């Protein structure tokens, strides 16, 4: 019975991570020629994931000793995926604002 609960939690965690990565890709899609679009989108996804992982490790490194906690790998992966999605959405909103106000560089 306990093993089923662990598997269920793991399945829910994996669904959460997959949903966050989907949002990251969705909000990182760029326009233009197909080859340029693919490279720009992949670059955007990489940057968001890099920022997400880096921010999580930075926060853990700063707070782990003070608050005496030990996050699991799954927690770290969930936090990093959520932050990557947050960075992708915030970048999308920022670029949309720049386009609407005519400040977007060409």
């Amino acid at each position: 019975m306990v093993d089923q609960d662990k598997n269920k939690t793991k399945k829910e965690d994996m669904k959460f991570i997959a949903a966050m990565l989907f949002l990251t890709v969705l909000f990182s899609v760029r326009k233009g020629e197909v080859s340029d679009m693919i490279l720009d989108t992949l670059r955007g996804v990489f940057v968001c994931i890099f920022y997400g992982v880096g921010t999580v490790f930075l926060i853990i490194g700063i707070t782990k000793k003070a608050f005496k906690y030990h996050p699991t790998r799954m927690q770290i992966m969930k936090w990093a995926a959520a932050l990557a999605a947050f960075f992708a959405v915030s970048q999308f909103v920022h670029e949309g604002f720049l386009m609407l106000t005519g400040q977007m560089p060409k």
Side-chain angles (χ1 to χ4, degrees), residues 25-67:
V25 172
L26 179 69
F27 284 100
S28 295
V29 173
R30 299 293 181 250
K31 65 177 184 174
E33 299 276 332
V34 175
S35 60
D36 293 338
M37 178 192 70
I38 292 172
L39 287 176
D40 287 342
T41 300
L42 290 176
R43 186 179 305 121
V45 169
F46 173 75
V47 166
C48 290
I49 291 173
F50 180 75
Y51 285 165
V53 171
T55 303
V56 166
F57 281 125
L58 183 67
I59 292 171
I60 289 172
I62 291 172
T63 62
K64 187 175 179 182
K65 203 170 194 178
F67 296 117

Side-chain angles (χ1 to χ4, degrees), residues 5-21 72-82:
D5 291 337
K6 286 184 179 179
N7 288 336
K8 185 176 181 183
T9 304
K10 222 174 198 182
K11 191 179 282 188
E12 289 174 359
D13 292 340
M14 295 307 286
K15 286 181 182 178
F16 177 81
I17 291 171
M20 292 298 111
L21 291 178
T72 63
R73 283 185 180 180
M74 187 57 70
Q75 285 176 321
I76 293 172
M77 288 174 23
K78 284 174 61 176
W79 295 341

